Amino acid sequence: MCSTTVLIANLVAVLGSDGGCLVSAPAELSGLFCRAAVQQRKRTLVAASAVAAAAAEFVRVAKKQRQHQPLLPSLDALPDECLFEILRRVPGGRDRGASACVSRRWLALLGSIRASELGQAAAAAVTPALPDLNEEFVMEEDKDETPADPCVKRVLEGKEATDVRLAAMAVVAGSRGGLEKLAVRGSHPTRGVTDQGLSAVARGSPNLSSLALWDVPLITDAGLAEVAVGCPSLERLDISRCPLITDKGLVAVAQGCSNLVSLTIEGCSGVGNEGLRAIGRCCAKLQAVSIKNCAHVGDQGISSLVCSATASLAKIRLQGLNITDASLAVIGYYGKAVTDLTLTRLATVGERGFWVMANAAGLQNLKCMSVTSCPGVTDLALSSIAKFCPSLKQLCLRKCGHVSDAGLAAFTESAKVFENLQLEECNRVTLVGILSFLRSCSQRFRALSLVKCTGIKDICSAPAKLPLCKSLRFLTIKDCPGFTDASLAVVGMICPQLEQVDLSGLGEVTDSGLLPLIQSSEAGLIKVDLSGCKNITDVAISSLVKAHGKSLKKVSLEGCSKITDASLFTIAESCIELAELDLSNCMVSDYGVAILSSASHLKLRVLSLSGCSKVTQKSVPFLGNLGQSLEGLNLQFCSMIGNHNIASLEKKLWWCDILA
C-alpha cells in the first residue's frame, strides 16, 4: 500500500515537472494511504521506461475496447440512391429544411428532388403520421405548410450568391410550391453560383415565372436546360453578362418555356442568331425583347425574331448590335404590335434604314420611340417617322447630331397626337427651331425637355409674333450654357400653363429672367427645380412662393448659394402643400430652421440641408419638432452639428430616414 502511494505521488510530480501536469501532488495525498509515506519526503523519479510501458498498456486496452464495442448505425453509410429515396419521403417543409441543415450532402440531395417527386412520395404515404407530443401546439392556420404570401420572391446579391445558399433557398421555398421570382445579381468570387445551384431551383420550383441572372460567369447552357425542363411556366428571363451561355441554352429555353413573354439578353458573347431564331419560332406569346451588346447577334437573328412574333411583340430594345438597315426594315414591316421602340448605338444603320422602317407603314401602333447615338437619324428620317407613325406620342433623341430645326418643323406638321419631346445633346437644334415647333405643335403637346443642347442659346431678335402654347405643362431646360435671362423670359411669355419647371444647371439665369416666368404662369406651379442656378436670390424665391405657395409641392434650391433665411421665412408663411424642400449648399442658418419648425401648417416629408455650413447643433431641437410627416432628412456634410446630436435626433425621429 505504501509503495503504491509513493509511486503515484512520484508519477504526478514527474508529469508536473515535464509540463504534462501543472500541479504536483501535495505531501498530504500520500498520508491518506500510509503514514510512512508522509514521513518519507524524498521522491523517487520514475524511469522513462515505466511511463512508456504504462502508456502502451493504456493504448492497448482502449483499442481492445473499441474492437469489442458495436458500431452505431448511421444514414451517412447509405449510398446516395438510398438516401435520396429517404429524403424525398420527408413529409413537411419544416422537416425538409431541418434535414438540409445536416450536411452539404443532404442539402445537395434535397436540392436534386423535383417537386413532382415530392408529391408522389406524399401520395404514397398511406399511414398518417403520428402527432409529436413533444412539439408545441400550433394553430392550423399558423402552420408553415400554408403559404404566407402567394408569390415567393428571392434576391441574391454579391457574396451572398452561392450554390449552398441557392439550394437551401429552393428547399425551404419548396414547402410553398417553390420560388416564383428569383434574381441573382453577382456571384461569390470563389464559391459562386454554378449550374448545380440553378438546377436545385429548377427542380424545386416548377412555378418559377421570373428569372434574372446578372454577372454570373459560371452558369452554362446546362443550367438553362435544367430551367427549361423544370420550369415550364417561366415568363420572364433576364440574362446579363453570362459569358458561358450560348445559343444552345436559349434553344432549350425556347423549347421548354413556350409561355415566355419577356426576354432580356445583355453582354452575352456566346449568344447569336440561332438562339433568337428559336425564341421567335417557339414563344408565340413574346411581348418584350431587349438585346444589348451581343457581338454575334446580327440581322438574321433580329429579323427572324420579329417576323415570328409579329402578332404579340410590343416592346423592342436594341443596343450595340452589328445590324444594318435590313433589321429596321423588317421591324417597320412586321412590327404591327410594337408600341415601344428603343434603338441605341447602332453605328451601321444609316438614314435609309430609318426611312424604310417608317415608310413600310407597319408601325401604326408605335407610341414611344427613343433613339440614342444613331447617325442614321436625320431630318428626312424624322419627317418619315412622324408621317407614317400616326400614333406616336413620345420621342426621345439623344446624341443625334444630324437633327436640326428643319427636321423638327417637318416632324410637327405630321405628328397630330404628339405629347412629349425630349432632346439631349442635339446641338443643331436652336431656340428658333423650338419656338417654331411650339407654334405648330398639336393641342395635346404637354412636355418639352432640352438637356445639354449647346444650340439652345439667346437669339439676337425674337420673332415678330411669338407662339402661345397653352397645352405645355412640363418644361425642362437643363445644362444649356447659352440659355440666359432673355431666352427664359421669352419661354415664360409663351407658356402660361406650366406646372413643373426644371431649370437646373442654368448658371447664367438671374432673377430678371425667372420673374417673368413666375408672373406669367396662370395654372400654378407645382414643382420647381433651380439646382445650380447660383445667381438666383431671395427676391425671386420670395416672388415664387408668394405667387404659387398654395400649389407648390416640391422646391429644389441645391447649390443656390445666394439663398438665405429670408426665403425660408416666406416659405414658412406662404406654402401650404409643400412636401419636399432641398436647401443643400445654401446659406441658410439655425434661424431659418427654427422658422420652418414654427410653421405648424407646413407638413414637410423630405428636407435636405446637406452642406449648409451655417446649420449647427442649435438647430437640433427645431429639427426634432418638424412633426410626424417628416420621412427623410439629409444632414450630410453639416459638420457643426456633431455625431452626438445626430444620435439624439435619430432617437427622437425614429420613424425618419436620416442621412448624416
Side-chain angles (χ1 to χ4, degrees), residues 48-362:
S49 58
V51 176
E57 179 65 17
F58 175 78
V59 171
R60 185 184 64 81
V61 172
K63 185 177 181 180
K64 185 176 181 180
Q65 290 178 351
R66 285 198 304 269
Q67 290 177 351
H68 288 83
Q69 184 178 2
L71 294 176
L72 296 176
S74 174
L75 288 177
D76 290 333
L78 295 175
D80 288 348
E81 294 78 4
C82 295
L83 190 55
F84 176 89
E85 293 297 330
I86 293 174
L87 291 177
R88 81 184 186 95
R89 286 170 169 77
V90 175
R94 178 181 297 178
D95 294 335
R96 285 194 294 273
S99 300
C101 298
V102 172
S103 66
R104 290 178 181 268
R105 181 192 177 202
W106 284 37
L107 175 60
L109 288 173
L110 283 165
S112 65
I113 302 174
R114 297 188 183 278
S116 59
E117 294 170 334
L118 287 174
Q120 294 172 4
V126 180
T127 305
L130 295 176
D132 187 354
L133 300 180
N134 293 322
E135 289 187 355
E136 296 182 1
F137 177 74
V138 181
M139 293 293 291
E140 186 69 24
E141 58 270 18
D142 294 337
K143 291 184 179 180
D144 68 335
E145 301 301 317
T146 303
D149 50 354
C151 177
V152 182
K153 179 180 178 180
R154 295 292 182 268
V155 178
L156 285 180
E157 296 184 358
K159 293 183 178 180
E160 294 182 353
T162 63
D163 278 345
V164 173
R165 189 178 292 270
L166 198 58
M169 191 180 294
V171 171
V172 173
S175 62
R176 299 188 178 97
L179 297 172
E180 291 192 8
K181 294 182 180 180
L182 173 64
V184 182
R185 301 168 183 168
S187 188
H188 193 281
T190 59
R191 295 179 284 107
V193 173
T194 66
D195 294 334
Q196 183 178 359
L198 192 58
S199 298
V201 173
R203 291 173 181 271
S205 303
N207 297 320
L208 187 69
S209 62
S210 177
L211 175 63
L213 302 173
W214 297 358
D215 297 297
V216 191
L218 300 180
I219 294 293
T220 69
D221 296 332
L224 276 190
E226 287 285 346
V227 172
V229 173
C231 308
S233 301
L234 189 67
E235 296 180 352
R236 300 180 182 277
L237 179 62
D238 185 346
I239 306 173
S240 298
R241 294 175 292 278
C242 297
L244 299 182
I245 292 179
T246 67
D247 287 335
K248 184 178 179 181
L250 281 187
V251 170
V253 170
Q255 294 174 350
C257 306
S258 59
N259 293 320
L260 199 67
V261 297
S262 176
L263 174 66
T264 299
I265 304 175
E266 180 178 355
C268 297
S269 57
V271 174
N273 297 324
E274 187 61 32
L276 297 183
R277 187 181 293 113
I279 292 290
R281 184 173 58 251
C282 301
C283 302
K285 300 179 181 179
L286 191 65
Q287 298 177 7
V289 60
S290 176
I291 313 297
K292 300 180 180 180
N293 306 324
C294 296
H296 293 95
V297 172
D299 291 328
Q300 294 182 1
I302 299 300
S303 300
S304 299
L305 180 63
V306 174
C307 289
S308 301
T310 181
S312 60
L313 194 58
K315 295 183 179 181
I316 300 177
R317 296 186 179 183
L318 306 177
Q319 174 179 317
L321 305 179
N322 294 321
I323 60 176
T324 64
D325 299 342
S327 293
L328 265 65
V330 172
I331 292 174
Y333 186 80
Y334 289 98
K336 302 183 185 303
V338 174
T339 59
D340 192 333
L341 178 62
T342 301
L343 305 173
T344 304
R345 289 195 291 107
L346 303 180
T348 54
V349 176
E351 179 185 60
R352 180 184 177 184
F354 284 93
W355 185 86
V356 172
M357 180 183 71
N359 282 266

